[in-house]
């Protein structure tokens, strides 16, 4: 049985057996619905609440995470109790030691896995395009991670994490649409779908400013029949990544943040980082984002000008969204056959702290 690779994000969980040139078998929402039963048989008495096991990349509700993984591994992927296989989990940038230890403990003590490995998402995203050095810009649902990687090792001192992401962009779009469509009631789900369908990046800042004067407006019918008009709002979503002041933040834009990150790494590594810059995360697949990112990079005043790397042609089209999972599938083909993973014997002898010695 092939090892299982799991990449659990704030919005989506990707899981599947380690087959590198295929997309993950399961891509499901991480958010869960939990039914609170008051003990009565009448279904109307059941209360449904929303649970988020993962918040801004890190596991926050371990009971919910256990339930989610149980569903994924046994129901979704067909593991059998008593005959569990090996598993590789992806780690977000700067995952706290306690979280890593809790995960390996959960895997061995609750799921009885035969082998475990964990690796950082930035490293895995580079593996997915055949690189061991480069810089990843990961724009997720709840965070943005910028991570220089040299010879398979994340340069943590130079890495940057921002606790903004797709969530904030959705809220921005909701505010702007509510302002221009005051009589329409919008749910978060509605806005998420509108963002995925309409959000885009202007060619540059000047083009964005022109949308104030002239911008094509479209009408969209919501599932409940309400009609909403969308115009300049669609461009504000992408522009906020280059001008965070739109979100009310006093931060540099995403390209400037990348340049500053690479600048703080030893100059002898600049070239390999610059020439191997990778965009990943769902938000980075926004229409026009890649082109705007490269254009802004070319305009950098410093000698450091990042250049984006394209995914190999043989990889699936949705590479940007699933790069960490695909890199995990590639790594799983190496660490488990070569016995570089954490075994049950390792765990029994050392305890959860073994994850820091064997998974780096």
């Amino acid at each position: 049985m092939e090892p299982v690779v799991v990449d659990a994000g704030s919005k989506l969980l990707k899981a599947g057996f380690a087959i590198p040139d295929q997309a993950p078998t399961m891509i499901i929402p991480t958010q869960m619905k939990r039914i609170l039963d008051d003990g009565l048989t009448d279904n109307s008495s059941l209360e449904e609440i929303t649970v988020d096991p993962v918040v801004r990349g890190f596991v926050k509700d371990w009971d919910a995470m256990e339930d989610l993984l149980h569903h994924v591994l046994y129901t979704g992927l067909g593991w059998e109790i008593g005959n569990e296989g090996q598993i590789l989990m992806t780690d977000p940038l700067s995952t706290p030691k306690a979280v890593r230890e809790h995960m390996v403990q959960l895997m061995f003590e609750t799921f009885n896995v035969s082998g475990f490995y964990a690796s950082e998402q930035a490293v895995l995203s580079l593996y997915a395009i055949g690189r061991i050095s480069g810089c990843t810009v990961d724009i997720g649902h709840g965070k943005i991670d910028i991570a220089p990687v040299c010879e398979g090792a994340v340069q943590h001192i130079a890495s940057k994490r921002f606790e903004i992401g797709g969530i904030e962009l959705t809220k921005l779009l909701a505010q702007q649409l509510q302002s221009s469509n005051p009589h329409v009631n919008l749910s978060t789900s509605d806005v998420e779908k509108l963002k995925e369908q309409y959000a885009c990046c202007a060619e540059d800042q000047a083009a964005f400013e022109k949308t104030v004067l002239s911008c094509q407006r479209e009408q969209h019918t919501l599932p409940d029949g309400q009609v909403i008009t969308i115009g300049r709002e669609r461009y504000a979503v992408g522009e906020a990544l280059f001008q965070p002041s739109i979100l009310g933040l006093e931060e540099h834009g995403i390209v400037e943040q990348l340049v500053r990150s690479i600048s703080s790494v030893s100059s002898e590594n600049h070239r390999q980082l610059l020439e191997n810059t990778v965009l990943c995360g769902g938000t980075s697949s926004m229409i026009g984002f890649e082109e705007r990112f490269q254009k802004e990079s070319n305009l950098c005043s410093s000698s450091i000008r990042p250049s984006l790397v394209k995914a190999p042609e043989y990889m699936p089209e949705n590479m940007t969204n699933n790069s960490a999972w695909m890199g995990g599938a590639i790594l799983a083909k190496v660490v488990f056959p070569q016995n570089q993973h954490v075994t049950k014997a390792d765990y029994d002898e050392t305890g959860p702290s073994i994850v820091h010695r064997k998974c780096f």
Side-chain angles (χ1 to χ4, degrees):
M1 183 167 58
E2 296 283 358
V4 166
V5 178
V6 176
D7 177 28
S10 306
K11 183 180 181 181
L12 296 174
L13 179 144
K14 296 126 186 189
F17 294 103
I19 305 173
D21 59 352
Q22 294 185 14
T25 308
M26 297 181 70
I27 301 178
I28 61 173
T30 307
Q31 190 177 77
M32 303 166 64
K33 302 288 187 183
R34 180 170 284 164
I35 306 297
L36 297 181
D37 190 349
D38 60 6
L40 302 176
T41 56
D42 183 4
N43 286 336
S44 63
S45 67
L46 299 179
E47 182 184 355
E48 188 177 80
I49 62 170
T50 300
V51 181
D52 289 298
V54 181
V55 178
R56 304 227 181 254
F58 300 138
V59 179
K60 296 296 183 184
D61 186 329
W62 286 98
D63 289 339
M65 191 65 184
E66 181 181 329
D67 290 342
L68 181 60
L69 288 172
H70 192 280
H71 167 74
V72 167
L73 296 172
Y74 295 105
T75 305
L77 298 179
W79 271 13
E80 297 178 357
I81 293 176
N83 188 33
E84 291 82 0
Q86 300 165 321
I87 192 166
L88 184 148
M89 303 288 298
T90 72
D91 279 340
L93 183 67
S94 304
T95 300
K97 285 187 174 182
V99 172
R100 299 188 85 208
E101 290 179 9
H102 200 142
M103 182 58 76
V104 71
Q105 181 179 5
L106 180 69
M107 286 295 115
F108 280 111
E109 296 187 12
T110 301
F111 290 96
N112 196 33
V113 298
S114 58
F116 176 87
Y117 200 81
S119 185
E120 292 189 275
Q121 291 168 351
V123 174
L124 298 177
S125 292
L126 284 169
Y127 286 169
I129 59 164
R131 305 290 196 279
I132 60 172
S133 296
C135 195
T136 61
V137 180
D138 186 348
I139 312 173
H141 185 60
K143 46 79 179 177
I144 296 174
D145 289 339
I146 298 176
V149 178
C150 297
E151 301 296 322
V154 174
Q155 306 300 294
H156 286 282
I157 294 176
S159 298
K160 297 176 181 289
R161 159 171 276 235
F162 307 96
E163 293 209 341
I164 60 171
I167 299 171
E168 282 65 38
L169 298 179
T170 299
K171 290 177 181 176
L172 172 67
L173 183 59
Q175 290 167 0
Q176 297 208 347
L177 288 174
Q178 205 67 67
S179 177
S180 58
N181 297 266
H183 303 298
V184 176
N185 294 317
L186 287 167
S187 68
T188 301
S189 175
D190 288 335
V191 181
E192 282 278 0
K193 291 173 183 174
L194 289 169
K195 184 182 74 173
E196 291 172 8
Q197 184 173 347
Y198 291 100
C200 56
C201 282
E203 184 180 334
D204 51 32
Q205 187 173 342
F208 174 70
E209 299 301 339
K210 287 179 181 177
T211 63
V212 177
L213 303 173
S214 175
C215 182
Q216 182 180 349
R217 300 182 69 77
E218 292 184 46
Q219 286 195 329
H220 178 92
T221 303
L222 298 171
D224 62 3
Q226 296 182 95
V227 177
I228 193 167
T229 303
I230 303 172
R232 184 175 187 250
E233 300 89 355
R234 75 180 74 180
Y235 291 101
V237 176
E239 194 66 24
L241 294 169
F242 299 95
Q243 295 190 66
S245 58
I246 293 173
L247 291 169
L249 301 173
E250 295 182 5
E251 296 277 6
H252 294 287
I254 194 164
V255 173
E256 178 65 20
Q257 296 286 9
L258 172 63
V259 168
R260 287 169 176 254
S261 178
I262 294 178
S263 297
S264 59
V265 178
S266 172
S267 59
E268 64 189 28
N269 293 317
H270 283 179
R271 183 170 181 177
Q272 63 179 347
L273 294 176
L274 289 170
E275 293 178 350
N276 297 290
T277 299
V278 178
L279 297 178
C280 45
T283 304
S284 66
S285 59
M286 187 189 312
I287 297 169
F289 177 76
E290 185 177 316
E291 292 79 7
R292 173 69 178 277
F293 191 97
Q294 189 62 71
K295 184 170 185 177
E296 295 272 342
S297 298
N298 294 340
L299 295 173
C300 286
S301 57
S302 77
S303 59
I304 294 182
R305 295 186 179 179
S307 179
L308 296 177
V309 179
K310 298 287 186 181
E313 291 183 1
Y314 58 82
M315 296 303 271
E317 290 183 3
N318 52 359
M319 176 82 185
T320 301
N321 295 354
N322 302 327
S323 57
W325 185 90
M326 292 177 183
I330 292 169
L331 183 60
K333 291 288 195 178
V334 177
V335 294
F336 290 111
Q338 295 184 6
N339 293 318
Q340 297 172 5
H341 60 284
V342 180
T343 65
K344 184 69 166 68
D346 293 330
Y347 179 79
D348 289 342
E349 181 180 344
T350 309
S353 64
I354 186 65
V355 71
H356 309 305
R357 289 222 317 265
K358 299 204 75 171
C359 305
F360 50 84

